Amino acid sequence: MTESSRRAPSERAASSVALRPMAAADVDAVARIWREGWADAHLGHVPAALVAARTSGSFTERAHDRVDDTIVATRADAVAGFVMIDGDQVDQLYLDRAARGSGIGAVLLGAEEQAIVAAGYGRAWLAVATGNNGARRFYERQGWADEGPFVHHAPTPDGGVAVDCHRFVSAAAARARQT
């Protein structure tokens, strides 16, 4: 067994991925990853009005609008995933289908937690649609705690759609802030 194969997936991902701020040239890749990941995670778990609002073009528009608050993970110069921040909220985290299970999600989440703490917030939080059990398991494995259900207002061109979610918080961000 090689040293590389003995390391945890997140350690292997950290050694093969580069994190950087999103650039305008990344919009198409981020929009594709977001559109595919959103469908995989949300269809069947969110109201039909939100599904109708999440057109292919909406992901491109939203990716364009979020260039300044997005970190991308690249592997072999291709965007493999991204994470977006909104204040103390990890607003979006998605991976290319080929990158799922590689540890890159944990690397992105860790980077975003550090950015949130560095911005002066006590801890990071995020919303997970009720029924999105894959995401819930992922965040729990990363040490995030489910604080219970709440209604999240997902933004749409017409204002917003109420979505039943669970609020997850990061104890790691709170601990980092205390040190």
Side-chain angles (χ1 to χ4, degrees), residues 98-169:
R100 294 178 193 168
S102 68
I104 293 173
V107 172
L108 280 166
L109 188 62
E112 203 62 22
E113 283 183 86
Q114 290 175 356
I116 288 169
V117 170
Y121 295 100
R123 64 181 178 177
W125 74 277
L126 55 85
V128 176
T130 300
N132 185 352
N133 295 326
R136 291 178 72 173
R137 285 189 301 271
F138 169 75
Y139 293 118
E140 288 168 353
R141 282 193 310 271
Q142 304 311 310
W144 289 60
D146 184 346
E147 284 195 336
F150 80 109
V151 176
H152 174 67
H153 294 280
T156 65
D158 297 329
V161 174
V163 179
D164 291 331
C165 290
H166 280 253
R167 180 183 171 100
F168 276 73
V169 296

Side-chain angles (χ1 to χ4, degrees), residues 32-33 35-37 39-40 80 95-101:
R32 178 191 56 77
I33 291 167
R35 181 180 61 251
E36 291 173 356
D40 293 345
L95 298 176
D96 184 89
R97 286 177 173 150
R100 294 178 193 168

